[in-house]
Amino acid sequence: MNNNFDLIKSAVSLLDLIGEDVALKKSGRIYKGACPFHDDNTPSFAVYEQDNRFHCFGCGETGDAVDYVMKSRSYPSHLEAMQELAQRYNLQLQDVDTESIKRKNAKKKEEKDEFIGYYRRRAEAARYLESRGFTDGELNSKTFALGYDDQENALVIPFMNAYGEVVGRVHRYLEEDAQPKYKNSAESEVFQKNEMLFGFDKARKEVAQQDDALYLVEGYFDCMAMYQMGVGKTAAYASAHITDGQAHLIKRHIKSDVKIYLIPDNDDSGWKSVRKNLRTLRKQVKNRVSVVTLPDGIKDANDLLLSDYELKDAQIESFEKYLLREDLENCLEIEDEYDVAFDWAKKTPNAMIRGDMAEYLAERWDKPIATVNDFMKGQVKLNHASKLKTGTEAYINLVERTQDKTPKIKTGLKPIDMMTSGMMKKEVCFIQGKSGSGKTTMLLNWIYHAIMHEGRNVLFSTLEMPAESIIGQLIQRHNSETKGKMEQRADEGSFDEGVAELLDTIDKRMRMVDEDSQSVEDIEHFTNEANVNAFDEPADIIFIDYFQYLKMNEGANSYERTSETARAMKGLAKRLNVLVVVLTQVNRMSGGGGSGKTTKESSKDTSSIEDTSDYLLGIYRPASDPNLTEDEKQAIQHEMYCQVLKNRFGAEADVKLWFDGMTKKIEDGKGRF
């Protein structure tokens, strides 16, 4: 179901949709108009075009295209709204049918009717809340619609979806020795606890109203306690760990510029869950996340309510600094702490956060703040252990390398993969060719194989092509379709299952940076950012398109600049434990377009590419020769050759490939000619 929300969000312009019903006028970065959901004498209804979201500052209604259609059409659930949008925009929804909608609506009515009986006995619930430190138990029991089950002597906590509909419930048994203390109602078509956040129906409206922060706590009573303390922008994940479904709920309903504060329980279990919870959040949301550490002796937000402390007495810090502190506590020696801090500096592109880390480290290590600041910028190292290796140590590394059964990285083209025996992390591969040789298409086919067939995490740093052009060519490759067909699909805003599958994998496995004038240091920062914020595991491959456009040392001559940058690729591969693949243009003076062979000496401006690389591949296509007639070009249009010019661990030879310029496919040449 989550994929359907993403599909609609990417295909439907909320601004155009609402513009059919409401007269909107641009005001800065938003569009304003009279709210369609209440009598609005002053324009209090805002549409955020960039985020595809709306919010009314008068009545509090907020949401996306599905929410708008559901509310404006008076549909009983978002499923009917999704069906209307799918039909209108020719979208193929997954796992949705009319009978399912009817069953879900009937189930929600059943849950609501059954809960009303518990809610009538809420006076007992109010008395229990007062025993937990809530000064007005009656008010809070109404706010969260708590009920009471007299037969089982249990508080009944309703679980509401994001729209405030009762879809499930939780019994909290009140006997002191009750085991278990909590029991959820059975999961159903409308109630999947791991995809819901307790209190989120109220929190999302308050967040939209104030647009500043969302607080996440562990337990039901923690959420209620935050409301008692005046912090209504709170939801509970009601477990030790935040799930992917809960993170997606936040992604869908909370704008990306809203700060998220994670408040773990202040005990061993809570601390151990933080890293996993942060990783789950960062995979889904782009929001900044900070971690709140409660004062000593205060276990959770409910304890905070009962104490003399306030939320402002807690320690709040960026998640990077929090995890840095945690990692340092696991170090045995000071040199290990230096390495850990240096790694976190590389993973933290925000200079101000690195400055906060430096202040903490300077105090911890009793070092001058200026020295630690330089260290966190990567300019100095602090008393690292010796890097000198003995022959025995090197042999141990060789044995480990030989015995390492980790799957090698393949291009997806069998003749090349057989010759290289697959490539490894910490290695560098340069792919060279003239303009028109098809080297960029070769790179995109390799990326496609890496993410779709090998499950690799990839950073693509492109200094020439915009991200939308990359996606367009990958769609062509995936669907075996022409550029015209792909552009028609994009113009219509339509997605089939194939495109949805590709985009889901790209979102999980790939990040692109299409900024010009990137340096090697920039690419390292981008990769570290992706490792922390996007990928479930660190990146496996960095692809760079292309070498000559990289930002280099302006203080050196041309040969020195390119040689220095070529050598920097090797350092990048080793530091990040990745395979680095770089496209490079060859000398233009040899002519012939992309039809001619290249040599080890062909690399433009520098021989250091050949010296630095573990693998050097040359790409050429005979059909790109400008001197050929159209008939001659047609006869050899599918021929492509890859020269294995340098292969550190194997043979060198020319490999014949099959090239289809219409669909951007490159495949093994065997049997295709």
Side-chain angles (χ1 to χ4, degrees), residues 69-87:
V69 172
M70 185 184 77
K71 179 71 176 178
S72 61
R73 311 299 195 264
S74 298
Y75 286 137
S77 76
H78 58 265
L79 293 171
E80 291 90 342
M82 292 171 69
Q83 281 202 322
E84 177 183 319
L85 290 168
Q87 183 175 4

Side-chain angles (χ1 to χ4, degrees), residues 389-408 424-426 577:
K389 293 182 178 178
T390 66
T392 300
E393 290 170 333
Y395 179 72
I396 290 173
N397 290 340
L398 173 62
V399 171
E400 290 176 349
R401 177 190 175 103
T402 304
Q403 294 177 346
D404 185 5
K405 303 304 180 185
T406 303
K408 304 290 182 63
M424 298 181 66
K425 295 180 180 181
K426 299 185 180 180
N577 189 34

